[in-house]
Each structure stands twice: as structure tokens, then as C-alpha cells.
């Protein structure tokens, strides 16, 4: 018997850098390290509905030979793979596990009682934050545990941290490039501060894969960039800490209220870079406000601008948080985070 079958968005043969693909691959890699590659079956859901018949055939085979079935579906996929797994499992009685990516599931289930019932049949549902666990508990689901997002990164030592910074302070974003990640908010804030002070207080570098459906939007946004704002392209996941360590501050101005544990914040912690972030739903599960970062009211560009300007008057307030970020990063290393899954397999 195989230890587990993982059904998720691997995107084999493609360089996909979205959170769903990254988390699916990260968890699967840790399972292979623990049990051996030959004990883990992988089924790739990339390709959508047209490949579903072939995926279903693979699932029947995987159920027959696997002790555990682990799924990673997002919004559309959960409506397909939860009932599919429950139906197939009538014949095989395997342990069903659902690892949730992001923080959207509680609101998604509110008016979907059949899907909620289907998830109640799973052995365990793994969510990223305590906020999500409490929200799902209120919906009547009691098979919930926390599996923090994690990354296989090298955490800097304190001796590698910079201790002095001069104007212009280098800040960056490090996420998918799309409207919903608040890119325009931080661009607006930096331009406003620099114009007001008639000086380059900040430079802003934007990293990340541009959303395929928003390329035209971003091309228009780039045309408005002054010389102190740049798009720097995509960074390989194993180089993220190396790139981020050169920055004064990471800005995470997301407008996705249901973010879970953003990988970009974990990268920043490992690089000893504090975070200025909008307060999304699970903000306080991830950012220790005033300790590893600073939060501002969700979607409030004026608040973002005001706090960013205040930081420029007192950069030591950020510098003193750097060692605290390194300490925080240790909560998100694979061997710590993966335990809650391993003990249930």
C-alpha cells in the first residue's frame, strides 16, 4: 500500500508560482521526505474540466492502493473533488484529508449546506489559522485542525542583518501582481510621500508573476511609474530570502480579505524584513502587530500612506523588529508545521 495520494494543482511541466501550486508542492515534498517518493501518488488537477474523466480514473486506482487521500482544491475544485472523494470512498473507506489554501472556505460554505455536509465526512480538514478554525466551528464542522503554511527556506542569522539604512529606504512587494493584491495602493502611497517631501524618501520594487488576465492593466500601471518605482520580475522560490534581505521593509497591501498565511510574509520573516500590511481577516494570526510588523486598516490607502510616512521619520522602529522576524520565521519551518498532518496519516 501507498501511504497517501495527493490530488492537487501541481502544474507539471510549467512554472506556476501561485499560492495553490506552491503549497501543494511544498506539502507533497515533505511527505516524500518522510515516507519516500515511492509511497506517495500524485494526481495533477491542472488543466481543468476537460481532463476530469482521466483524473477520475486515476483517483479510483489511487483509492485502491493508498491509505490516505489528500486534496488541495480551491473554489471551483472543492465542489467537484469533495463529492467525488466521498462517492469513491463508499467502496474503499480511506482517510480523507482536505488541506485548505487561503482563508476563503468559511464564507464559501455559508450557503452550501450539501458541500458542508460532504466536508463533514472527511477525516480532517486542515486550515492555516485559528481565525478559520473558529469560523468553520461556528458552521458546525468539528473535524478541523491547524496546519500552518510553511516554506523550506534558510533563515538568516542575526549577523547577516543590516543595521543601518539611509534614504531612500528600499521597500518592495513580493506577491502575485494583480489589482487585488493592492499594488496600486502602495504605488500611490510612495508617489504621494515622495512628492510631498520633494525628495526620494522611498524606492519601491515590485516582484511577482503578473496575473495572466491582468497583463493589460499592469502595463498601464507601469507607464505611471516614476524612476523610483520598478517592476523586477519573478524570483525563484529558493532565491526569495536572498533577494528580500536587501530591503528595509516588505509591504503587503492585499485587498483579499480572506488571505490565509501568505508565503511572501514568511519569506520576509526568514530574511529579517518586517512587514507593513493591510489587516486582512487573519492578519493577527500571522503578524504580531508592533512586533514583527505594522498593520493598517484594510483597504485604507490614506492610512497606508500615513504610516509609511511616519516610518520614514523613525526608521529605528523598523530596524529593531528585524531580529524578531527571524525568531518568528522558526514557527513556519516544515518540520514544525507539518507535524499536525503527519500524526494523522
Amino acid at each position: 500500500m501507498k501511504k497517501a495520494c495527493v490530488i492537487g494543482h501541481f502544474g507539471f511541466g510549467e512554472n506556476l508560482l501561485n499560492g495553490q501550486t506552491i503549497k501543494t508542492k511544498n506539502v507533497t515534498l515533505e511527505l516524500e521526505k518522510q515516507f519516500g517518493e515511492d509511497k506517495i501518488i500524485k494526481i495533477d488537477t491542472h488543466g481543468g474540466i476537460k481532463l476530469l474523466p482521466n483524473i477520475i480514473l486515476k483517483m479510483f486506482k489511487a483509492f485502491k492502493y493508498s491509505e490516505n487521500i489528500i486534496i488541495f482544491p480551491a473554489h471551483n475544485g472543492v465542489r467537484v473533488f469533495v463529492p467525488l472523494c466521498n462517492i469513491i470512498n463508499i467502496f474503499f473507506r480511506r482517510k480523507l484529508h482536505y488541506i485548505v489554501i487561503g482563508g476563503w472556505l468559511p464564507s464559501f460554505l455559508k450557503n452550501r449546506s450539501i458541500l458542508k455536509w460532504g466536508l463533514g465526512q472527511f477525516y480532517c480538514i486542515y486550515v492555516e489559522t485559528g481565525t478559520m478554525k473558529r469560523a468553520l466551528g461556528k458552521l458546525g464542522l468539528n473535524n478541523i485542525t491547524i496546519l500552518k503554511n510553511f516554506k523550506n527556506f534558510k533563515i538568516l542569522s542575526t549577523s547577516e542583518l543590516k543595521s543601518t539604512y539611509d534614504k531612500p529606504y528600499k521597500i518592495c512587494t513580493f506577491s502575485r501582481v494583480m489589482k487585488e493584491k493592492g499594488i496600486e495602493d502602495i504605488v500611490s502611497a510612495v508617489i504621494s510621500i515622495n512628492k510631498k517631501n520633494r525628495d526620494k524618501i522611498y524606492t519601491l520594487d515590485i516582484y511577482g508573476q503578473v496575473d495572466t488576465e491582468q497583463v493589460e492593466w499592469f502595463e498601464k500601471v507601469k507607464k505611471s511609474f516614476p524612476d523610483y518605482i520598478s517592476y523586477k520580475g519573478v524570483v525563484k522560490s529558493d532565491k526569495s530570502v536572498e533577494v528580500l534581505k536587501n530591503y528595509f521593509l516588505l509591504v503587503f497591501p492585499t485587498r483579499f480579505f480572506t488571505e490565509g498565511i501568505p508565503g511572501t510574509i514568511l519569506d520576509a520573516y526568514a530574511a529579517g524584513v518586517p512587514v507593513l500590511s493591510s489587516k486582512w481577516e487573519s492578519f493577527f494570526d500571522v503578524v504580531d502587530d508592533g512586533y514583527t510588523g505594522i498593520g493598517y486598516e484594510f483597504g485604507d490607502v490614506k492610512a497606508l500612506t500615513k504610516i509609511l510616512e511616519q516610518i520614514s521619520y523613525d526608521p529605528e522602529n523598523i530596524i529593531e523588529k528585524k531580529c524578531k522576524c527571524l525568531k518568528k520565521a522558526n514557527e513556519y519551518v516544515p518540520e514544525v508545521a507539518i507535524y499536525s498532518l503527519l500524526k494523522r496519516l
Side-chain angles (χ1 to χ4, degrees):
M1 288 287 285
K2 304 292 184 180
K3 189 64 179 179
C5 169
V6 179
I7 303 168
H9 197 269
F10 289 96
F12 293 130
E14 298 191 34
N15 183 32
L16 301 177
L17 299 173
N18 58 78
Q20 183 183 11
T21 305
I22 290 170
K23 185 167 182 178
T24 301
K25 289 181 175 180
N26 283 347
V27 173
T28 303
L29 178 61
E30 293 306 313
L31 293 176
E32 289 176 336
K33 287 180 182 177
Q34 182 72 24
F35 301 110
E37 289 186 40
D38 62 324
K39 291 294 184 179
I40 306 298
I41 298 172
K42 291 176 281 191
I43 298 178
D44 190 4
T45 60
H46 179 62
I49 196 72
K50 62 183 179 181
L51 296 180
L52 188 57
N54 187 43
I55 290 171
I56 293 173
L57 289 174
K58 290 180 179 179
M59 286 175 64
F60 268 97
K61 184 176 180 181
F63 268 75
K64 184 177 180 180
Y65 294 110
S66 303
E67 297 175 35
N68 298 273
I69 305 296
I70 305 170
I71 64 172
F72 287 79
H75 298 69
N76 292 327
V78 72
R79 290 180 288 194
V80 174
F81 287 100
V82 169
L84 258 179
C85 285
N86 279 322
I87 290 169
I88 298 173
N89 209 34
I90 292 172
F91 305 100
F92 297 102
R93 311 310 301 169
R94 305 304 185 203
K95 283 185 180 180
L96 302 181
H97 308 259
Y98 172 27
I99 298 179
V100 186
I101 300 159
W104 53 273
L105 187 62
S107 59
F108 186 79
L109 289 178
K110 280 183 179 177
N111 298 312
R112 293 179 167 89
S113 56
I114 294 175
L115 184 57
K116 185 172 63 177
W117 178 87
L119 284 169
Q121 308 311 301
F122 272 52
Y123 178 74
C124 194
I125 300 169
Y126 304 82
V127 297
E128 296 182 355
T129 67
T131 297
M132 288 181 65
K133 182 177 180 179
R134 289 188 293 274
L136 289 169
K138 289 178 181 178
L139 293 177
L141 289 170
N142 56 15
N143 55 342
I144 313 296
T145 195
I146 295 174
L147 172 62
K148 288 185 177 182
N149 199 5
F150 61 85
K151 300 199 78 170
N152 190 9
F153 42 37
K154 175 186 176 293
I155 300 172
L156 294 188
S157 65
T158 54
S159 63
E160 294 177 274
L161 295 178
K162 284 183 66 175
S163 58
T164 59
Y165 291 85
D166 299 310
K167 290 189 299 185
Y169 301 111
K170 290 180 62 178
I171 65 175
C172 68
T173 64
F174 211 82
S175 63
R176 275 185 298 162
V177 179
M178 57 194 307
K179 292 179 183 179
E180 295 83 355
K181 288 294 185 178
I183 301 299
E184 288 172 299
D185 293 352
I186 185 58
V187 168
S188 172
V190 168
I191 291 175
S192 176
I193 292 168
N194 287 357
K195 280 187 175 180
K196 177 182 176 181
N197 290 274
R198 297 181 181 179
D199 192 9
K200 290 182 182 178
I201 307 299
Y202 288 105
T203 63
L204 170 65
D205 290 338
I206 297 168
Y207 292 91
Q209 196 169 57
V210 181
D211 188 278
T212 54
E213 296 182 2
Q214 299 192 29
V215 173
E216 185 178 345
W217 159 79
F218 189 56
E219 287 301 316
K220 290 180 180 178
V221 172
K222 282 198 294 184
K223 288 178 181 177
S224 70
F225 287 176
D227 62 355
Y228 48 80
I229 300 180
S230 303
Y231 173 59
K232 296 291 189 179
V234 177
V235 176
K236 291 182 178 179
S237 59
D238 60 346
K239 300 294 183 183
S240 55
V241 173
E242 185 179 327
V243 171
L244 282 170
K245 70 179 183 181
N246 298 311
Y247 286 89
F248 172 69
L249 181 71
L250 173 86
V251 185
F252 187 67
T254 185
R255 284 180 173 262
F256 278 118
F257 190 62
T258 57
E259 296 270 5
I261 298 181
T264 181
I265 292 181
L266 308 190
D267 286 328
Y269 286 162
V273 179
V275 177
L276 172 59
S277 173
S278 67
K279 293 180 180 178
W280 79 95
E281 186 177 31
S282 297
F283 170 84
F284 291 102
D285 293 272
V286 185
V287 181
D288 298 328
D289 201 11
Y291 186 84
T292 60
I294 299 172
Y296 66 90
E297 206 59 40
F298 185 80
D300 190 338
V301 183
K302 288 184 179 178
L304 166 61
T305 305
K306 181 180 179 181
I307 292 173
L308 194 58
E309 187 167 22
Q310 289 172 342
I311 287 170
S312 72
Y313 302 145
D314 183 20
E316 284 298 322
N317 186 31
I318 294 300
I319 295 169
E320 70 180 12
K321 293 177 171 55
K322 287 183 166 288
C323 287
K324 299 169 185 175
C325 290
L326 296 182
K327 183 179 179 181
K328 186 74 173 178
N330 285 291
E331 296 180 17
Y332 301 100
V333 295
E335 54 269 29
V336 172
I338 199 71
Y339 178 71
S340 65
L341 172 62
L342 295 180
K343 70 180 183 179
R344 289 173 172 81
L345 296 181

